[in-house]
Short mmCIF file of all heavy atoms in Angstrom, two decimals:
data_model
loop_
_atom_site.label_atom_id
_atom_site.label_comp_id
_atom_site.label_asym_id
_atom_site.label_seq_id
_atom_site.Cartn_x
_atom_site.Cartn_y
_atom_site.Cartn_z
N VAL G 163 -113.26 -53.92 -44.04
CA VAL G 163 -114.50 -54.71 -43.98
C VAL G 163 -114.52 -55.72 -42.78
O VAL G 163 -115.61 -56.13 -42.39
CB VAL G 163 -114.73 -55.50 -45.30
CG1 VAL G 163 -114.94 -54.52 -46.43
CG2 VAL G 163 -113.52 -56.44 -45.59
N TYR G 164 -113.35 -56.11 -42.24
CA TYR G 164 -113.36 -57.21 -41.31
C TYR G 164 -113.92 -56.84 -39.97
O TYR G 164 -113.54 -55.80 -39.36
CB TYR G 164 -111.92 -57.81 -41.19
CG TYR G 164 -111.87 -59.16 -40.44
CD1 TYR G 164 -112.04 -60.29 -41.18
CD2 TYR G 164 -111.73 -59.16 -39.08
CE1 TYR G 164 -112.04 -61.52 -40.54
CE2 TYR G 164 -111.70 -60.43 -38.45
CZ TYR G 164 -111.89 -61.59 -39.20
OH TYR G 164 -111.85 -62.83 -38.56
N ILE G 165 -114.81 -57.71 -39.44
CA ILE G 165 -115.39 -57.54 -38.15
C ILE G 165 -115.00 -58.71 -37.26
O ILE G 165 -115.07 -59.88 -37.67
CB ILE G 165 -116.96 -57.43 -38.20
CG1 ILE G 165 -117.32 -56.22 -39.10
CG2 ILE G 165 -117.58 -57.38 -36.84
CD1 ILE G 165 -118.82 -56.13 -39.33
N PRO G 166 -114.50 -58.51 -36.06
CA PRO G 166 -114.09 -59.62 -35.22
C PRO G 166 -115.19 -60.65 -34.99
O PRO G 166 -116.34 -60.33 -34.84
CB PRO G 166 -113.73 -58.94 -33.86
CG PRO G 166 -113.38 -57.54 -34.24
CD PRO G 166 -114.33 -57.22 -35.40
N LEU G 167 -114.75 -61.90 -35.00
CA LEU G 167 -115.69 -63.00 -34.86
C LEU G 167 -115.84 -63.58 -33.48
O LEU G 167 -116.71 -64.35 -33.19
CB LEU G 167 -115.36 -64.18 -35.85
CG LEU G 167 -115.18 -63.73 -37.35
CD1 LEU G 167 -114.74 -64.92 -38.17
CD2 LEU G 167 -116.51 -63.25 -37.86
N TYR G 168 -114.93 -63.21 -32.59
CA TYR G 168 -114.93 -63.78 -31.27
C TYR G 168 -115.19 -62.76 -30.19
O TYR G 168 -114.75 -61.60 -30.35
CB TYR G 168 -113.48 -64.42 -31.03
CG TYR G 168 -113.16 -65.51 -32.00
CD1 TYR G 168 -112.53 -65.23 -33.19
CD2 TYR G 168 -113.49 -66.79 -31.73
CE1 TYR G 168 -112.22 -66.25 -34.10
CE2 TYR G 168 -113.22 -67.84 -32.59
CZ TYR G 168 -112.54 -67.54 -33.80
OH TYR G 168 -112.28 -68.53 -34.71
N PRO G 169 -115.94 -63.16 -29.19
CA PRO G 169 -116.21 -62.20 -28.06
C PRO G 169 -114.97 -61.61 -27.49
O PRO G 169 -114.99 -60.37 -27.01
CB PRO G 169 -116.96 -63.09 -27.08
CG PRO G 169 -117.49 -64.23 -27.85
CD PRO G 169 -116.49 -64.52 -28.92
N GLU G 170 -113.90 -62.39 -27.38
CA GLU G 170 -112.68 -61.89 -26.74
C GLU G 170 -112.06 -60.71 -27.54
O GLU G 170 -111.65 -59.71 -26.98
CB GLU G 170 -111.63 -63.01 -26.62
CG GLU G 170 -111.99 -64.08 -25.56
CD GLU G 170 -112.96 -65.09 -26.11
OE1 GLU G 170 -113.33 -64.98 -27.34
OE2 GLU G 170 -113.37 -65.96 -25.38
N THR G 171 -111.98 -60.91 -28.86
CA THR G 171 -111.43 -59.79 -29.66
C THR G 171 -112.40 -58.63 -29.78
O THR G 171 -111.97 -57.46 -29.80
CB THR G 171 -111.10 -60.35 -31.04
OG1 THR G 171 -112.16 -61.11 -31.57
CG2 THR G 171 -109.82 -61.23 -31.03
N GLU G 172 -113.71 -58.93 -29.78
CA GLU G 172 -114.71 -57.87 -29.74
C GLU G 172 -114.47 -57.00 -28.44
O GLU G 172 -114.62 -55.79 -28.47
CB GLU G 172 -116.14 -58.37 -29.84
CG GLU G 172 -116.48 -58.91 -31.18
CD GLU G 172 -117.92 -59.35 -31.21
OE1 GLU G 172 -118.58 -59.29 -30.14
OE2 GLU G 172 -118.45 -59.70 -32.29
N LYS G 173 -114.26 -57.66 -27.39
CA LYS G 173 -114.02 -56.95 -26.12
C LYS G 173 -112.82 -56.07 -26.15
O LYS G 173 -112.85 -54.89 -25.66
CB LYS G 173 -113.89 -57.95 -24.97
CG LYS G 173 -113.75 -57.35 -23.61
CD LYS G 173 -113.59 -58.43 -22.53
CE LYS G 173 -113.32 -57.80 -21.14
NZ LYS G 173 -113.12 -58.83 -20.12
N VAL G 174 -111.76 -56.55 -26.78
CA VAL G 174 -110.55 -55.77 -26.84
C VAL G 174 -110.81 -54.54 -27.76
O VAL G 174 -110.41 -53.44 -27.41
CB VAL G 174 -109.38 -56.63 -27.44
CG1 VAL G 174 -108.17 -55.74 -27.76
CG2 VAL G 174 -109.01 -57.72 -26.47
#
Side-chain angles (χ1 to χ4, degrees):
V163 296
Y164 193 86
I165 298 174
L167 304 177
Y168 298 89
E170 290 81 3
T171 48
E172 286 184 356
K173 181 182 177 183
V174 173

